[in-house]
Amino acid sequence: MYSDHIYSDQPDYLEKERINLLLKHGYYGYKVKNIEFDDHRGQLIAVAQNINGNTLSAYGETKEDACIQLIDLIGITLDTL
């Protein structure tokens, strides 16, 4: 889990746009499958999957935080390919 996200130097409206893109259409091939509260961690978990079945998940205090963490994780994942 990453405490700082990659786009922290971006204006808030870009973060909101990325979140909307992720939730409505997907982000670089990953589509959100589920966002729910995880009782064990006391945070929200956002789960996304691509057409190959690869699944990524990220936690956050709010839905937006979880989505930003997920966007960052997607970016990191794609950078390592």
Side-chain angles (χ1 to χ4, degrees):
M1 176 70 120
Y2 303 97
S3 60
D4 295 323
H5 48 80
I6 295 170
Y7 304 113
S8 63
D9 59 340
Q10 299 285 326
D12 284 343
Y13 74 91
L14 289 178
E15 284 186 352
K16 288 181 187 4
E17 193 165 320
R18 285 188 179 96
I19 292 169
N20 287 334
L21 181 65
L22 172 68
L23 293 174
K24 292 180 181 177
H25 305 288
Y27 195 76
Y28 289 101
Y30 284 87
K31 293 195 177 208
V32 174
K33 301 298 278 179
N34 196 13
I35 298 176
E36 63 184 27
F37 188 76
D38 181 353
D39 291 328
H40 182 69
R41 287 191 65 156
Q43 294 182 319
L44 288 169
I45 181 171
V47 179
Q49 189 174 44
N50 68 8
I51 59 171
N52 297 328
N54 297 322
T55 304
L56 299 174
S57 61
Y59 288 92
E61 296 293 323
T62 65
K63 178 180 175 180
E64 290 78 15
D65 288 342
C67 286
I68 285 295
Q69 295 296 333
L70 188 55
I71 289 167
D72 291 346
L73 186 56
I74 291 168
I76 290 166
T77 301
L78 295 175
D79 285 346
T80 61
L81 297 178

